[in-house]
Amino acid sequence: MTVIYRARKIITLDPSRPAATHVAVRDGRILGAGTLEELSGWGDHTLDTRFDDKVLMPGLVEGHSHLSEGSYWRYVYCGFYDRVGPSGLTWAGVRDIEGVVERLREGERALESPSTPLSGWGLDPIYFSGRRMTRGDLDSISRTRPIGVLHASAHAMNVNSAALKMAGLLRTGIRHQGIPLDDEGLPAGEMMGQESMGLVGSHVGFDRRLLASDEVGLRFFGRLCVRKGVTTACEMASLLPDDAVAMMRRVTGEERFPVRVVPMRRLQGMPPADIVAHVVSLRAAGSAQLRFGAIKIVLDGSIQGFSARLLWPGYYNGRPNGQWYVAPEELEQALALALAEGVQVHVHTNGDEAVELLLDCMERALARHPRPDHRFTVQHGQLATAAHFRRMKALGMCANLFANHTYYWGDQHAQITVGPERASRMNACATALAAGVPLAIHSDAPVTPLGPLFTAWCAVTRKTASGRVLGAGERIGVDDAIRAITLGAAYTLRLDHEIGSLSCGKRADFAVLEDDPYEVAPDALKDVRVWGTVQSGRVFEAAQDAT
Ligand SMILES: [Zn+2]
């Protein structure tokens, strides 16, 4: 059956026909965009006028997110900024450590068993004027119940004494880069980096394996996507155990599940050769709504957590350099094996030293295994220089930059982490485009909230939370930003032939908007109202879903 949707305006992002009034859909795919008369040529159809006052554009693509954007809402929100949960309810931000402790105390009252861990998320001590949270702060809530609060970056966690004790870490004599000690020689309570977090995570509710299979979280994630106009989104860091794969297959296969999920297998827990083989074997488990086939590698930590690897002269406030999560030999081996097998790789690199190591390893791996159109993607690349972008172009790589950082941490980057000059060229979208590097931009949800139109606004305005423009020279135009959250992100996922623009043969994925992002002032891009989505021809209204 053919449905022709009529709309106030249809933005196609197809240069041969940039705008239209009607779009025809059959079997979840687009027959064409044009006039009613043209589209009637496809034969019998029904005319659907429900979008008469709406603007349709290609469904938005989030090229770097995590399903934990859905899962973490089961925990206590401890973030600095107000945030909207999957049901549409706004959680107020907490502005100091006392506020975080109070919020957690409220959360504890809802727990039935005294042995259930108390888990929080979204914490970021960088906003607390130099004060770090200690285990003592969390001990004031409970000395017996394990408590863990994941930082917004997801690269560090604060825990209480009970949690440290359960992990066998409440003792002197620990020497670990990721476990700072207090004056008594005991762990201060901050666990920095994947390895140290892994020692306590399962005791405080952050069991990666369980979270990977969290069905409720996946459903929450789907609802958030509808609210933000997103029709395709990634899961960037799962180990993809069999039970998680089975759960994703079942849920994404449902008639009313609204988003196409692209899960990547994280390089962890197995030698690179086994991980490449795992991903190859997963290809058959995919479907139109579930796309396996890529690997994610995390190379360093986070800049605001001082665990990212920076080139000389390092952190502005003199903090020591960050952590490597993967050894250079392992990285190069993984890249080479993946190139040989035709498996795509996305690499998290926050610091410029991480970007440089990746480019060096990529150059050597490509010399051994040349492969056209590999589209290996630099994820975050926050401190990449103009020279780095030129190398990315030469090596055939894409960049997916973390545009939301400018708003959420731009002020702190200028004042504390990297200093004014480097802060003004972080997430250098204009330089990437000038170098000809295929560009996407992202939220890294739940690190910052899912919402590609907000992400586009960040890249267009480069405004920080305090309202200053950070690095005006790296701002990009509205059209480039809109492309980065549709076709650009689709290209990095090797899906640009299927999604990202509206033309004959592509999936019928639309963001349904109340306002036209090309008509509003660029500074209002983040305020463009989203009605919902059409995904593979199925209509999802955000408001209907609100509770
Ligand atoms: Zn991420």
PDB file of all heavy atoms in Angstrom, residues 451-479:
ATOM      1  N   GLY A 451      20.075  14.519  21.524  1.00  0.00           N
ATOM      2  CA  GLY A 451      19.315  15.592  20.889  1.00  0.00           C
ATOM      3  C   GLY A 451      20.120  16.228  19.772  1.00  0.00           C
ATOM      4  O   GLY A 451      20.785  17.234  19.980  1.00  0.00           O
ATOM      5  N   PRO A 452      20.081  15.652  18.555  1.00  0.00           N
ATOM      6  CA  PRO A 452      20.927  16.145  17.468  1.00  0.00           C
ATOM      7  C   PRO A 452      20.690  17.610  17.100  1.00  0.00           C
ATOM      8  O   PRO A 452      21.627  18.279  16.664  1.00  0.00           O
ATOM      9  CB  PRO A 452      20.578  15.219  16.307  1.00  0.00           C
ATOM     10  CG  PRO A 452      20.128  13.955  16.972  1.00  0.00           C
ATOM     11  CD  PRO A 452      19.394  14.388  18.195  1.00  0.00           C
ATOM     12  N   LEU A 453      19.465  18.127  17.254  1.00  0.00           N
ATOM     13  CA  LEU A 453      19.261  19.537  16.904  1.00  0.00           C
ATOM     14  C   LEU A 453      20.014  20.436  17.889  1.00  0.00           C
ATOM     15  O   LEU A 453      20.533  21.487  17.514  1.00  0.00           O
ATOM     16  CB  LEU A 453      17.770  19.873  16.863  1.00  0.00           C
ATOM     17  CG  LEU A 453      17.049  19.307  15.636  1.00  0.00           C
ATOM     18  CD1 LEU A 453      15.537  19.368  15.810  1.00  0.00           C
ATOM     19  CD2 LEU A 453      17.466  20.029  14.352  1.00  0.00           C
ATOM     20  N   PHE A 454      20.092  20.024  19.152  1.00  0.00           N
ATOM     21  CA  PHE A 454      20.910  20.760  20.116  1.00  0.00           C
ATOM     22  C   PHE A 454      22.391  20.648  19.733  1.00  0.00           C
ATOM     23  O   PHE A 454      23.134  21.632  19.770  1.00  0.00           O
ATOM     24  CB  PHE A 454      20.687  20.210  21.535  1.00  0.00           C
ATOM     25  CG  PHE A 454      21.558  20.877  22.568  1.00  0.00           C
ATOM     26  CD1 PHE A 454      21.177  22.070  23.159  1.00  0.00           C
ATOM     27  CD2 PHE A 454      22.782  20.322  22.925  1.00  0.00           C
ATOM     28  CE1 PHE A 454      21.997  22.700  24.088  1.00  0.00           C
ATOM     29  CE2 PHE A 454      23.614  20.944  23.849  1.00  0.00           C
ATOM     30  CZ  PHE A 454      23.214  22.136  24.429  1.00  0.00           C
ATOM     31  N   THR A 455      22.806  19.462  19.347  1.00  0.00           N
ATOM     32  CA  THR A 455      24.191  19.242  18.927  1.00  0.00           C
ATOM     33  C   THR A 455      24.531  20.143  17.734  1.00  0.00           C
ATOM     34  O   THR A 455      25.603  20.757  17.676  1.00  0.00           O
ATOM     35  CB  THR A 455      24.399  17.758  18.573  1.00  0.00           C
ATOM     36  OG1 THR A 455      24.080  16.969  19.726  1.00  0.00           O
ATOM     37  CG2 THR A 455      25.827  17.464  18.160  1.00  0.00           C
ATOM     38  N   ALA A 456      23.588  20.248  16.788  1.00  0.00           N
ATOM     39  CA  ALA A 456      23.796  21.118  15.627  1.00  0.00           C
ATOM     40  C   ALA A 456      23.933  22.577  16.081  1.00  0.00           C
ATOM     41  O   ALA A 456      24.795  23.318  15.600  1.00  0.00           O
ATOM     42  CB  ALA A 456      22.638  20.962  14.642  1.00  0.00           C
ATOM     43  N   TRP A 457      23.070  22.973  17.020  1.00  0.00           N
ATOM     44  CA  TRP A 457      23.144  24.346  17.564  1.00  0.00           C
ATOM     45  C   TRP A 457      24.525  24.605  18.176  1.00  0.00           C
ATOM     46  O   TRP A 457      25.109  25.675  17.986  1.00  0.00           O
ATOM     47  CB  TRP A 457      22.043  24.521  18.621  1.00  0.00           C
ATOM     48  CG  TRP A 457      22.120  25.802  19.383  1.00  0.00           C
ATOM     49  CD1 TRP A 457      21.608  27.013  19.001  1.00  0.00           C
ATOM     50  CD2 TRP A 457      22.751  26.012  20.664  1.00  0.00           C
ATOM     51  NE1 TRP A 457      21.890  27.954  19.967  1.00  0.00           N
ATOM     52  CE2 TRP A 457      22.582  27.387  20.988  1.00  0.00           C
ATOM     53  CE3 TRP A 457      23.430  25.178  21.550  1.00  0.00           C
ATOM     54  CZ2 TRP A 457      23.080  27.926  22.181  1.00  0.00           C
ATOM     55  CZ3 TRP A 457      23.920  25.728  22.728  1.00  0.00           C
ATOM     56  CH2 TRP A 457      23.741  27.081  23.041  1.00  0.00           C
ATOM     57  N   CYS A 458      25.064  23.621  18.887  1.00  0.00           N
ATOM     58  CA  CYS A 458      26.395  23.779  19.488  1.00  0.00           C
ATOM     59  C   CYS A 458      27.445  24.039  18.417  1.00  0.00           C
ATOM     60  O   CYS A 458      28.312  24.902  18.576  1.00  0.00           O
ATOM     61  CB  CYS A 458      26.787  22.522  20.278  1.00  0.00           C
ATOM     62  SG  CYS A 458      25.839  22.298  21.786  1.00  0.00           S
ATOM     63  N   ALA A 459      27.369  23.289  17.319  1.00  0.00           N
ATOM     64  CA  ALA A 459      28.372  23.447  16.258  1.00  0.00           C
ATOM     65  C   ALA A 459      28.202  24.773  15.525  1.00  0.00           C
ATOM     66  O   ALA A 459      29.172  25.355  15.051  1.00  0.00           O
ATOM     67  CB  ALA A 459      28.272  22.281  15.271  1.00  0.00           C
ATOM     68  N   VAL A 460      26.950  25.254  15.455  1.00  0.00           N
ATOM     69  CA  VAL A 460      26.658  26.492  14.725  1.00  0.00           C
ATOM     70  C   VAL A 460      27.025  27.727  15.559  1.00  0.00           C
ATOM     71  O   VAL A 460      27.554  28.700  15.048  1.00  0.00           O
ATOM     72  CB  VAL A 460      25.163  26.526  14.323  1.00  0.00           C
ATOM     73  CG1 VAL A 460      24.717  27.918  13.893  1.00  0.00           C
ATOM     74  CG2 VAL A 460      24.903  25.515  13.203  1.00  0.00           C
ATOM     75  N   THR A 461      26.767  27.672  16.859  1.00  0.00           N
ATOM     76  CA  THR A 461      26.971  28.876  17.699  1.00  0.00           C
ATOM     77  C   THR A 461      28.251  28.830  18.529  1.00  0.00           C
ATOM     78  O   THR A 461      28.799  29.865  18.871  1.00  0.00           O
ATOM     79  CB  THR A 461      25.809  29.067  18.690  1.00  0.00           C
ATOM     80  OG1 THR A 461      25.830  27.994  19.643  1.00  0.00           O
ATOM     81  CG2 THR A 461      24.470  29.088  17.968  1.00  0.00           C
ATOM     82  N   ARG A 462      28.704  27.623  18.896  1.00  0.00           N
ATOM     83  CA  ARG A 462      29.843  27.445  19.816  1.00  0.00           C
ATOM     84  C   ARG A 462      29.673  28.276  21.079  1.00  0.00           C
ATOM     85  O   ARG A 462      30.629  28.855  21.610  1.00  0.00           O
ATOM     86  CB  ARG A 462      31.172  27.744  19.116  1.00  0.00           C
ATOM     87  CG  ARG A 462      31.523  26.686  18.092  1.00  0.00           C
ATOM     88  CD  ARG A 462      32.902  26.851  17.512  1.00  0.00           C
ATOM     89  NE  ARG A 462      33.972  26.614  18.468  1.00  0.00           N
ATOM     90  CZ  ARG A 462      34.581  25.443  18.666  1.00  0.00           C
ATOM     91  NH1 ARG A 462      34.187  24.375  17.996  1.00  0.00           N
ATOM     92  NH2 ARG A 462      35.565  25.326  19.531  1.00  0.00           N
ATOM     93  N   LYS A 463      28.442  28.307  21.598  1.00  0.00           N
ATOM     94  CA  LYS A 463      28.205  29.015  22.853  1.00  0.00           C
ATOM     95  C   LYS A 463      28.422  28.084  24.038  1.00  0.00           C
ATOM     96  O   LYS A 463      27.993  26.934  24.024  1.00  0.00           O
ATOM     97  CB  LYS A 463      26.768  29.551  22.890  1.00  0.00           C
ATOM     98  CG  LYS A 463      26.614  30.857  22.161  1.00  0.00           C
ATOM     99  CD  LYS A 463      25.289  31.507  22.482  1.00  0.00           C
ATOM    100  CE  LYS A 463      25.132  32.789  21.675  1.00  0.00           C
ATOM    101  NZ  LYS A 463      23.762  33.314  21.739  1.00  0.00           N
ATOM    102  N   THR A 464      29.063  28.599  25.078  1.00  0.00           N
ATOM    103  CA  THR A 464      29.253  27.809  26.289  1.00  0.00           C
ATOM    104  C   THR A 464      28.065  28.058  27.228  1.00  0.00           C
ATOM    105  O   THR A 464      27.224  28.925  26.971  1.00  0.00           O
ATOM    106  CB  THR A 464      30.530  28.233  27.019  1.00  0.00           C
ATOM    107  OG1 THR A 464      30.325  29.544  27.568  1.00  0.00           O
ATOM    108  CG2 THR A 464      31.734  28.261  26.089  1.00  0.00           C
ATOM    109  N   ALA A 465      28.038  27.325  28.340  1.00  0.00           N
ATOM    110  CA  ALA A 465      26.942  27.479  29.292  1.00  0.00           C
ATOM    111  C   ALA A 465      26.894  28.902  29.842  1.00  0.00           C
ATOM    112  O   ALA A 465      25.822  29.394  30.200  1.00  0.00           O
ATOM    113  CB  ALA A 465      27.092  26.467  30.423  1.00  0.00           C
ATOM    114  N   SER A 466      28.031  29.582  29.915  1.00  0.00           N
ATOM    115  CA  SER A 466      28.028  30.959  30.434  1.00  0.00           C
ATOM    116  C   SER A 466      27.640  31.969  29.351  1.00  0.00           C
ATOM    117  O   SER A 466      27.530  33.154  29.624  1.00  0.00           O
ATOM    118  CB  SER A 466      29.407  31.319  31.000  1.00  0.00           C
ATOM    119  OG  SER A 466      30.339  31.493  29.941  1.00  0.00           O
ATOM    120  N   GLY A 467      27.476  31.488  28.108  1.00  0.00           N
ATOM    121  CA  GLY A 467      26.979  32.354  27.046  1.00  0.00           C
ATOM    122  C   GLY A 467      28.052  32.946  26.156  1.00  0.00           C
ATOM    123  O   GLY A 467      27.752  33.637  25.190  1.00  0.00           O
ATOM    124  N   ARG A 468      29.329  32.661  26.440  1.00  0.00           N
ATOM    125  CA  ARG A 468      30.369  33.214  25.566  1.00  0.00           C
ATOM    126  C   ARG A 468      30.552  32.333  24.328  1.00  0.00           C
ATOM    127  O   ARG A 468      30.251  31.139  24.353  1.00  0.00           O
ATOM    128  CB  ARG A 468      31.703  33.334  26.319  1.00  0.00           C
ATOM    129  CG  ARG A 468      32.310  32.010  26.688  1.00  0.00           C
ATOM    130  CD  ARG A 468      33.606  32.191  27.456  1.00  0.00           C
ATOM    131  NE  ARG A 468      34.737  32.410  26.550  1.00  0.00           N
ATOM    132  CZ  ARG A 468      35.987  32.049  26.855  1.00  0.00           C
ATOM    133  NH1 ARG A 468      36.260  31.481  28.011  1.00  0.00           N
ATOM    134  NH2 ARG A 468      36.959  32.269  26.000  1.00  0.00           N
ATOM    135  N   VAL A 469      31.008  32.938  23.250  1.00  0.00           N
ATOM    136  CA  VAL A 469      31.303  32.172  22.037  1.00  0.00           C
ATOM    137  C   VAL A 469      32.758  31.731  22.120  1.00  0.00           C
ATOM    138  O   VAL A 469      33.666  32.538  22.265  1.00  0.00           O
ATOM    139  CB  VAL A 469      31.067  33.023  20.775  1.00  0.00           C
ATOM    140  CG1 VAL A 469      31.516  32.264  19.532  1.00  0.00           C
ATOM    141  CG2 VAL A 469      29.587  33.401  20.663  1.00  0.00           C
ATOM    142  N   LEU A 470      32.964  30.417  22.046  1.00  0.00           N
ATOM    143  CA  LEU A 470      34.306  29.864  22.223  1.00  0.00           C
ATOM    144  C   LEU A 470      34.858  29.416  20.868  1.00  0.00           C
ATOM    145  O   LEU A 470      34.487  28.368  20.351  1.00  0.00           O
ATOM    146  CB  LEU A 470      34.212  28.669  23.186  1.00  0.00           C
ATOM    147  CG  LEU A 470      35.522  28.080  23.695  1.00  0.00           C
ATOM    148  CD1 LEU A 470      36.301  29.083  24.525  1.00  0.00           C
ATOM    149  CD2 LEU A 470      35.229  26.839  24.544  1.00  0.00           C
ATOM    150  N   GLY A 471      35.732  30.225  20.288  1.00  0.00           N
ATOM    151  CA  GLY A 471      36.325  29.847  19.008  1.00  0.00           C
ATOM    152  C   GLY A 471      35.388  30.098  17.845  1.00  0.00           C
ATOM    153  O   GLY A 471      34.959  29.154  17.164  1.00  0.00           O
ATOM    154  N   ALA A 472      35.078  31.374  17.605  1.00  0.00           N
ATOM    155  CA  ALA A 472      34.116  31.737  16.545  1.00  0.00           C
ATOM    156  C   ALA A 472      34.545  31.170  15.191  1.00  0.00           C
ATOM    157  O   ALA A 472      33.707  30.829  14.354  1.00  0.00           O
ATOM    158  CB  ALA A 472      33.987  33.256  16.475  1.00  0.00           C
ATOM    159  N   GLY A 473      35.857  31.039  14.972  1.00  0.00           N
ATOM    160  CA  GLY A 473      36.369  30.568  13.682  1.00  0.00           C
ATOM    161  C   GLY A 473      36.008  29.121  13.381  1.00  0.00           C
ATOM    162  O   GLY A 473      36.104  28.684  12.234  1.00  0.00           O
ATOM    163  N   GLU A 474      35.636  28.357  14.388  1.00  0.00           N
ATOM    164  CA  GLU A 474      35.270  26.950  14.155  1.00  0.00           C
ATOM    165  C   GLU A 474      33.764  26.743  14.027  1.00  0.00           C
ATOM    166  O   GLU A 474      33.291  25.609  13.957  1.00  0.00           O
ATOM    167  CB  GLU A 474      35.837  26.055  15.270  1.00  0.00           C
ATOM    168  CG  GLU A 474      37.358  25.925  15.228  1.00  0.00           C
ATOM    169  CD  GLU A 474      37.881  25.254  13.943  1.00  0.00           C
ATOM    170  OE1 GLU A 474      37.085  24.644  13.214  1.00  0.00           O
ATOM    171  OE2 GLU A 474      39.100  25.367  13.693  1.00  0.00           O
ATOM    172  N   ARG A 475      32.985  27.844  14.020  1.00  0.00           N
ATOM    173  CA  ARG A 475      31.540  27.692  13.832  1.00  0.00           C
ATOM    174  C   ARG A 475      31.261  27.227  12.400  1.00  0.00           C
ATOM    175  O   ARG A 475      31.991  27.580  11.473  1.00  0.00           O
ATOM    176  CB  ARG A 475      30.824  29.027  14.072  1.00  0.00           C
ATOM    177  CG  ARG A 475      30.794  29.418  15.542  1.00  0.00           C
ATOM    178  CD  ARG A 475      30.087  30.740  15.748  1.00  0.00           C
ATOM    179  NE  ARG A 475      30.753  31.805  15.011  1.00  0.00           N
ATOM    180  CZ  ARG A 475      30.516  33.101  15.205  1.00  0.00           C
ATOM    181  NH1 ARG A 475      29.627  33.487  16.109  1.00  0.00           N
ATOM    182  NH2 ARG A 475      31.151  34.003  14.487  1.00  0.00           N
ATOM    183  N   ILE A 476      30.200  26.444  12.227  1.00  0.00           N
ATOM    184  CA  ILE A 476      29.806  26.031  10.870  1.00  0.00           C
ATOM    185  C   ILE A 476      28.384  26.512  10.595  1.00  0.00           C
ATOM    186  O   ILE A 476      27.655  26.881  11.533  1.00  0.00           O
ATOM    187  CB  ILE A 476      29.916  24.498  10.659  1.00  0.00           C
ATOM    188  CG1 ILE A 476      29.038  23.719  11.653  1.00  0.00           C
ATOM    189  CG2 ILE A 476      31.377  24.055  10.766  1.00  0.00           C
ATOM    190  CD1 ILE A 476      28.984  22.212  11.381  1.00  0.00           C
ATOM    191  N   GLY A 477      27.991  26.520   9.346  1.00  0.00           N
ATOM    192  CA  GLY A 477      26.664  26.994   8.966  1.00  0.00           C
ATOM    193  C   GLY A 477      25.576  25.983   9.310  1.00  0.00           C
ATOM    194  O   GLY A 477      25.851  24.805   9.563  1.00  0.00           O
ATOM    195  N   VAL A 478      24.333  26.470   9.310  1.00  0.00           N
ATOM    196  CA  VAL A 478      23.193  25.604   9.650  1.00  0.00           C
ATOM    197  C   VAL A 478      23.126  24.406   8.694  1.00  0.00           C
ATOM    198  O   VAL A 478      22.930  23.269   9.124  1.00  0.00           O
ATOM    199  CB  VAL A 478      21.876  26.416   9.612  1.00  0.00           C
ATOM    200  CG1 VAL A 478      20.665  25.485   9.710  1.00  0.00           C
ATOM    201  CG2 VAL A 478      21.855  27.450  10.733  1.00  0.00           C
ATOM    202  N   ASP A 479      23.325  24.647   7.414  1.00  0.00           N
ATOM    203  CA  ASP A 479      23.205  23.553   6.450  1.00  0.00           C
ATOM    204  C   ASP A 479      24.271  22.478   6.709  1.00  0.00           C
ATOM    205  O   ASP A 479      23.975  21.274   6.699  1.00  0.00           O
ATOM    206  CB  ASP A 479      23.316  24.090   5.020  1.00  0.00           C
ATOM    207  CG  ASP A 479      22.943  23.020   4.007  1.00  0.00           C
ATOM    208  OD1 ASP A 479      21.860  22.407   4.168  1.00  0.00           O
ATOM    209  OD2 ASP A 479      23.733  22.765   3.083  1.00  0.00           O
TER     210      ASP A 479
END
